[in-house]
Amino acid sequence: MGGKLRIFPALPDVWKDVCFSGLRTEGAFKVSANRKDGKTLFIHIKSLTGEPCIVTTDIVNPIFKGKRTFTVQATTNDTYQIDLKKGEEVLIYPQGKIPDFIISPIPPVSKNHFGLKNVQTNT
């Protein structure tokens, strides 16, 4: 999809808390991310083949942390190109706010966002 990893690109406003773990993406990346109270806490990306890693995120002033110092080039619209090589991993999180990097289940909400249940009536 345009060669970019778009993290949480189009969520409904009511989805304040969202997380996923180990999502495999186009370009051979494995991605995990956590969003709480409408803000992305962190993104974890692992390169499986060494393809160019271009990521779009809503994180303001992101930190890119890994086993080495990455060259990160900011492009347009909150998009960054990271020199991630095969097998390397990067954690992306807001500057000054080190999250706990834990993915845990989101508690269910009482509202059904997927439509109404089909109710059978006897006639």
Side-chain angles (χ1 to χ4, degrees), residues 29 79 102 116:
F29 296 98
T79 302
I102 295 174
L116 299 174

mmCIF file of all heavy atoms in Angstrom, residues 29 79 102 116:
data_model
loop_
_atom_site.group_PDB
_atom_site.id
_atom_site.type_symbol
_atom_site.label_atom_id
_atom_site.label_comp_id
_atom_site.label_asym_id
_atom_site.label_seq_id
_atom_site.Cartn_x
_atom_site.Cartn_y
_atom_site.Cartn_z
ATOM 1 N N PHE A 29 7.568 -6.976 7.206
ATOM 2 C CA PHE A 29 7.807 -6.457 8.546
ATOM 3 C C PHE A 29 6.833 -7.124 9.508
ATOM 4 O O PHE A 29 5.741 -7.526 9.124
ATOM 5 C CB PHE A 29 7.593 -4.937 8.597
ATOM 6 C CG PHE A 29 8.556 -4.174 7.750
ATOM 7 C CD1 PHE A 29 8.179 -3.757 6.480
ATOM 8 C CD2 PHE A 29 9.831 -3.876 8.202
ATOM 9 C CE1 PHE A 29 9.061 -3.060 5.683
ATOM 10 C CE2 PHE A 29 10.725 -3.187 7.402
ATOM 11 C CZ PHE A 29 10.338 -2.774 6.139
ATOM 12 N N THR A 79 5.899 11.113 8.449
ATOM 13 C CA THR A 79 6.451 9.900 7.849
ATOM 14 C C THR A 79 7.972 9.913 7.998
ATOM 15 O O THR A 79 8.616 10.945 7.822
ATOM 16 C CB THR A 79 6.047 9.812 6.360
ATOM 17 O OG1 THR A 79 4.619 9.818 6.288
ATOM 18 C CG2 THR A 79 6.571 8.552 5.713
ATOM 19 N N ILE A 102 4.162 -3.106 26.794
ATOM 20 C CA ILE A 102 3.368 -4.310 27.025
ATOM 21 C C ILE A 102 2.100 -4.241 26.185
ATOM 22 O O ILE A 102 1.426 -3.209 26.155
ATOM 23 C CB ILE A 102 3.010 -4.463 28.518
ATOM 24 C CG1 ILE A 102 4.280 -4.696 29.335
ATOM 25 C CG2 ILE A 102 2.000 -5.586 28.723
ATOM 26 C CD1 ILE A 102 4.055 -4.715 30.827
ATOM 27 N N LEU A 116 -26.696 -4.298 15.151
ATOM 28 C CA LEU A 116 -27.637 -4.875 16.097
ATOM 29 C C LEU A 116 -27.757 -6.364 15.877
ATOM 30 O O LEU A 116 -27.603 -6.862 14.757
ATOM 31 C CB LEU A 116 -29.010 -4.226 15.923
ATOM 32 C CG LEU A 116 -29.055 -2.714 16.162
ATOM 33 C CD1 LEU A 116 -30.440 -2.176 15.823
ATOM 34 C CD2 LEU A 116 -28.716 -2.398 17.605
#
